[in-house]
Amino acid sequence: QLQLQESGPGLVKPSETLSLTCAVSGGSISSTSYFWGWIRQPPGKGLEWIGNIYYYSGGSYYTPSLKSRVTISVDTSKNQFSLKLSSVIAADTAIYYCARLPAYSSSSFVFDVWGQGTVVTVSS
Amino acid sequence: EIVLTQSPGTLSLSPGERATLSCRASQNFGSSYLAWYQQKPGQAPRLLIYGASSRATGIPDRFSGSGSGTDFTLTISRLEPEDFAVYYCQQYGSSLWTFGQGTKVEIK
């Protein structure tokens, strides 16, 4: 059974870069069958899609409002993928979730497996 | 970018009642790419419905999805105590994913 686990600093200073990792267990991140993505949720608010990556093609997709500051990458040697968000501000404070998306099935492009989430606070 | 608008913002119902949640898109897209999620406090969201009407693995049949074009509905036929939560719709189109703002189903 696939499991995802986010990790990274819980506190980041304004203007610095937020870096998170999602470890994948019970499956291979290099599978052609899946995308891998990040979603965040500010305190008391709804879900915001950040971006996805498809290792097989090397394609990455980002929400327009964050595109200039976001990079998602894959490390196959560690079976994990990462999120980097640069020049953070207080509004980037949120729970950050990683998730899996099937690529070629009847449930394509939905987030079918989620990590438990990690809280990131942007503050000096 | 497609905007999803969910209504109502909050639905106050009693256990055993029927819940009807709406998700309206700002433009037409393939209904194959419309999903619903349930989120309980302190938990990650859980996939309920994909392809607008297909239940995810392990989801009880009291949950059903319908709709096409720009109007979609999640129906919970008879609310169980564990169904009181926040529900989000989500769509994919043109290499972009978006979520609705959520509907909270609370105990009346």
Side-chain angles (χ1 to χ4, degrees), chain B residues 58-70:
Chain B
I59 302 303
D61 60 7
R62 64 180 181 273
F63 290 92
S64 63
S66 62
S68 63
T70 60

Side-chain angles (χ1 to χ4, degrees), chain A residues 24-40:
Chain A
V24 179
S25 58
S28 172
I29 199 166
S30 57
S31 168
T32 60
S33 300
Y34 300 105
F35 287 70
W36 306 94
W38 290 94
I39 304 98
R40 70 180 184 180

Side-chain angles (χ1 to χ4, degrees), chain B residues 7-85:
Chain B
S7 61
T10 301
L11 200 50
S12 298
L13 296 168
S14 300
E17 290 194 294
R18 181 184 187 91
T20 303
L21 288 66
S22 173
C23 176
R24 177 163 291 178
S26 59
Q27 57 184 280
N28 213 324
F29 66 96
S31 60
S32 297
Y33 303 129
L34 191 284
W36 291 92
Y37 301 83
Q38 175 194 67
Q39 187 180 32
K40 298 179 181 179
Q43 296 184 16
R46 176 175 70 146
L47 177 66
L48 296 176
I49 300 287
Y50 63 89
S53 61
S54 298
R55 276 187 297 277
T57 302
I59 302 303
D61 60 7
R62 64 180 181 273
F63 290 92
S64 63
S66 62
S68 63
T70 60
D71 290 308
F72 299 87
T73 300
L74 174 69
T75 301
I76 310 171
S77 58
R78 287 178 57 85
L79 283 164
E80 297 288 341
E82 61 268 27
D83 298 336
F84 291 92

Side-chain angles (χ1 to χ4, degrees), chain A:
Chain A
Q1 178 180 344
L2 189 91
Q3 291 187 315
L4 305 175
Q5 179 66 58
E6 305 90 347
S7 62
L11 181 64
V12 182
K13 290 182 168 57
S15 80
E16 294 189 343
T17 295
L18 179 161
S19 296
L20 297 176
T21 296
C22 181
V24 179
S25 58
S28 172
I29 199 166
S30 57
S31 168
T32 60
S33 300
Y34 300 105
F35 287 70
W36 306 94
W38 290 94
I39 304 98
R40 70 180 184 180
Q41 185 170 36
K45 296 188 177 181
L47 302 170
E48 179 184 24
W49 172 66
I50 298 171
N52 298 335
I53 190 166
Y54 185 40
Y55 170 74
Y56 183 70
S57 69
S60 53
Y61 312 88
Y62 303 121
T63 191
S65 63
L66 298 175
K67 190 172 184 177
S68 63
R69 298 195 289 134
V70 174
T71 303
I72 297 176
S73 59
V74 168
D75 185 342
T76 56
S77 67
K78 295 182 179 179
N79 211 40
Q80 65 185 30
F81 61 106
S82 300
L83 168 72
K84 291 188 185 299
L85 179 65
S86 64
S87 304
V88 296
I89 60 175
D92 294 315
T93 294
I95 300 172
Y96 285 76
Y97 296 99
C98 61
R100 183 186 79 171
L101 304 87
Y104 298 108
S105 76
S106 56
S107 61
S108 290
F109 308 127
V110 301
F111 302 94
D112 70 341
V113 179
W114 294 66
Q116 65 184 26
T118 188
V119 176
V120 177
T121 301
V122 177
S123 175
S124 56

